[in-house]
Amino acid sequence: MREALASAPGKVILFGEHFVVEGQPAIAVAVSLRARVAARPVDEPRITVSSANLGVQQDFDPQSPDRSSPLYPIAHAAVLTMEELGTRRGLQIRVNSSIPPAAGMGSSAAVAVATVRAVAAALGHDLEKERISRIAFEAEKLVHGKPSGIDNTVATYGGAIAYRRGEGFLELEVDFSPVSLVLADTGKPRRTGELVQRVLSLKAAFPQVLEPLYYAAGRLAVEAAKMMERGDFEAVGVLMNVNHGLLSAIGVSTAEIEQLVYAARQAGALGAKLTGAGGGGFIVALCRREDAGRVVSALERLSPRVLAVSVEKEGVRLES
Ligand code: PMV
């Protein structure tokens, strides 16, 4: 038994947010921002979790943990991992993440996935990806109530994933080396649950109007997957713009989002759209690598936080 360090990537949704809730396919990609988790067995029975990002540390008694703590989901992921391995130990867990939290970028899932991998390795076990993803999904239920499962899947496997509720996941074969993703924050926080409800109410009020939009979004994701696998990123960009139009139509865009999306397109992005729940949060712009700098500069004039990332091939990995 030893200290083990594992990491897992965050994600962005490229196609199909909201429409995925009602059964349409969606596509998410892992990004080159990672959560790192170190785990070390200790002699005391408790689980100590510290977060470099939050600047806090807390002890958890596995018998009666403080469930209100923001660090509890991490302790819970560790306990679930030990249950899976049929063992119980005291642990010291340290988390350090470069994924912006509460921004729709899968930060909690990446931390959960890296925690499962690190805890198993610290206790001398190797876990298959399928088990890591499943344990992290269970842990995520605490944070999100009803997670779709896409975040833990992307954090575990990396790359690009097509997902359909009730049907599962498909890994897409895409060479993303010619492109970058530029992410820009509106600086406006949003609540995913409220936006999901708002969209569902609109659909319930006007089903005849909204259903064709859902159908279009589903076809769009399927076409986008084809274009990605073919390496036709111009087409992928065009389809991102169409997807953004559908998201505006269902009421989850805002003036700030539109401003960023149009600025990215004018600066040379192949396509730009809101990503995740909308109502604030981030936009994502797809750029040829050589154009990313220009898009970043244009967005930095309007956004408090701009990140240029690439699509990350590798999912969870053991660092040491
Ligand atoms: O912003 P995020 O990553 O929490 O994205 C929410 C995505 C939705 O499709 C709006 C909801 C969901 O559960 O899929």
Side-chain angles (χ1 to χ4, degrees):
M1 280 180 279
R2 60 188 183 93
E3 171 157 292
L5 177 65
S7 72
K11 68 105 205 335
V12 293
I13 300 178
L14 284 190
F15 292 96
E17 50 274 269
H18 285 290
F19 306 104
V20 71
V21 172
E22 294 282 279
Q24 297 297 338
I27 299 173
V29 293
V31 296
S32 53
L33 300 170
R34 300 183 79 89
R36 289 182 175 73
V37 177
R40 183 165 63 85
V42 293
D43 290 333
E44 306 80 55
R46 62 176 180 267
I47 297 176
T48 304
V49 182
S50 63
S51 158
N53 308 88
L54 300 175
V56 287
Q57 170 165 324
Q58 191 164 351
D59 289 335
F60 294 90
D61 171 0
Q63 308 305 324
S64 57
D66 171 8
R67 290 171 204 271
S68 65
S69 161
L71 299 180
Y72 173 61
I74 300 163
H76 184 60
V79 168
L80 290 178
T81 307
M82 289 192 282
E83 278 172 10
E84 176 86 9
L85 298 171
T87 180
R88 174 146 286 191
R89 284 294 308 245
L91 290 167
Q92 172 139 46
I93 297 174
R94 291 182 290 114
V95 179
N96 194 345
S97 173
S98 58
I99 307 164
M105 291 178 66
S107 130
S108 66
V111 169
V113 164
T115 299
V116 174
R117 184 73 183 90
V119 167
L123 299 175
H125 293 265
D126 202 2
L127 283 177
E128 311 86 77
K129 288 193 167 161
E130 187 274 328
R131 283 166 93 193
I132 296 174
S133 186
R134 180 170 43 76
I135 299 166
F137 179 70
E138 289 304 315
E140 276 278 279
K141 285 185 184 165
L142 267 191
V143 190
H144 290 304
K146 268 174 72 182
S148 66
I150 198 159
D151 288 19
N152 52 287
T153 303
V154 177
T156 303
Y157 293 93
I161 300 273
Y163 168 68
R164 189 163 193 162
R165 209 169 197 155
E167 283 187 14
F169 305 95
L170 194 69
E171 286 182 74
L172 302 176
E173 291 289 322
V174 187
D175 172 11
F176 283 101
S177 57
V179 290
S180 294
L181 297 175
V182 178
L183 304 167
D185 193 353
T186 58
K188 292 260 155 59
R190 82 284 180 277
R191 285 181 201 275
T192 297
E194 275 172 23
L195 285 144
V196 168
Q197 280 316 315
R198 207 204 292 168
V199 170
L200 291 176
S201 308
L202 183 68
K203 182 157 184 270
F206 303 104
Q208 310 281 16
V209 179
L210 272 285
E211 266 154 27
L213 299 184
Y214 276 70
Y215 178 77
R219 294 306 89 202
L220 204 154
V222 171
E223 192 65 18
K226 248 192 268 173
M227 294 301 135
M228 283 162 79
E229 289 197 317
R230 199 179 283 176
D232 186 346
F233 291 108
E234 291 215 0
V236 175
V238 169
L239 292 172
M240 283 171 71
N241 293 341
V242 176
N243 195 161
H244 181 73
L246 294 177
L247 289 163
S248 296
I250 61 171
V252 295
S253 189
T254 63
E256 291 86 359
I257 289 172
E258 294 299 326
Q259 205 188 10
L260 293 174
V261 161
Y262 280 89
R265 291 176 191 166
Q266 272 156 15
L270 295 168
K273 62 183 276 293
L274 72 84
T275 179
F282 276 82
I283 69 126
V284 57
L286 179 74
C287 309
R288 281 194 200 85
R289 250 175 217 288
E290 57 273 24
D291 297 332
R294 229 171 342 124
V295 175
V296 167
S297 306
L299 291 172
E300 276 175 343
R301 287 196 276 277
L302 301 166
S303 160
R305 182 161 53 168
V306 179
L307 304 163
V309 299
S310 47
V311 175
E312 175 72 33
K313 264 191 253 160
E314 213 179 343
V316 63
R317 72 171 174 241
L318 200 59
E319 304 277 352
S320 63

